[in-house]
Amino acid sequence: MKKSSRFKPIQQLTEAREQDAAKALGKSNQKLGEQEQRLQDLLEYHQEYQHYFQQRGQSGITAAKLQELQRFLHNLNQAIEQQRRIVELARHELKQYRQQWQQAHGRTMAIGKVVERYRSDEAIQADRREQKENDDLAQRGAGLKPKT
């Protein structure tokens, strides 16, 4: 069996692992985008309520309603901070998946180069054998003794 053929299962395995890593990277990237969008939504919601709070304050508001709005904004601020932490975790996770994919890609490329080198060597050897056979046939046709 040729060396390039023996490496084919290894090459297929590294390619499959790279594809798995690429899928995980894609999912992580999508997750980060979703978490960033949630944070953006919370920030916009906070801004709207802050504006509403200022308008209500200018037009007069009861102490109970004021306390209720302050509590709501405090809770919204906590949600924003929590979402920021979630976004940072998602960024960290994405970085890890990117590194895993890069490593898998590097292994795939390395195995691919090895297999290609083996194929090239095998092709050169096949060409040499063919040339030798042609030379032997030509010598026999001319009545000469083949080289050994």
Side-chain angles (χ1 to χ4, degrees):
M1 178 181 264
K2 296 179 180 180
K3 281 185 178 181
S4 63
S5 298
R6 287 189 305 228
F7 268 84
K8 193 69 175 166
I10 296 169
Q11 186 177 27
Q12 290 170 341
L13 179 63
T14 59
E15 288 171 354
R17 286 183 179 166
E18 180 186 359
Q19 288 173 359
D20 291 345
K23 287 177 188 176
L25 176 61
K27 286 180 183 179
S28 182
N29 193 37
Q30 181 180 359
K31 179 181 173 184
L32 174 60
E34 291 168 358
Q35 296 303 331
E36 286 176 333
Q37 184 58 52
R38 284 185 185 144
L39 176 60
Q40 187 61 38
D41 292 345
L42 285 171
L43 290 169
E44 289 173 9
Y45 194 50
H46 181 271
Q47 189 176 18
E48 289 172 15
Y49 255 89
Q50 189 74 28
H51 181 69
Y52 171 75
F53 180 67
Q54 288 173 350
Q55 283 182 336
R56 292 296 299 239
Q58 290 174 355
S59 63
I61 190 169
T62 65
K65 190 67 172 169
L66 178 64
Q67 284 181 336
E68 182 183 329
L69 282 171
Q70 286 176 330
R71 258 193 318 274
F72 179 77
L73 284 174
H74 175 74
N75 290 340
L76 191 52
N77 282 332
Q78 286 180 328
I80 288 170
E81 287 309 310
Q82 182 180 7
Q83 189 61 32
R84 282 187 172 131
R85 287 189 295 274
I86 291 170
V87 167
E88 280 308 309
L89 287 173
R91 284 184 180 138
H92 180 70
E93 183 180 86
L94 178 64
K95 183 179 177 181
Q96 289 178 326
Y97 280 117
R98 183 174 288 120
Q99 288 173 346
Q100 289 173 2
W101 173 80
Q102 287 172 338
Q103 289 172 352
H105 180 68
R107 285 190 291 272
T108 299
M109 296 303 291
I111 292 294
K113 286 180 182 178
V114 168
V115 169
E116 187 55 39
R117 190 180 71 226
Y118 285 151
R119 284 184 185 147
S120 176
D121 290 349
E122 290 164 0
I124 289 169
Q125 290 173 2
D127 288 346
R128 286 180 182 159
R129 275 192 305 273
E130 184 180 344
Q131 184 63 45
K132 185 178 182 323
E133 289 171 6
N134 288 339
D135 290 348
D136 289 348
L137 285 174
Q139 285 178 353
R140 281 188 212 135
L144 302 173
K145 229 179 171 181
K147 293 181 184 177
T148 52

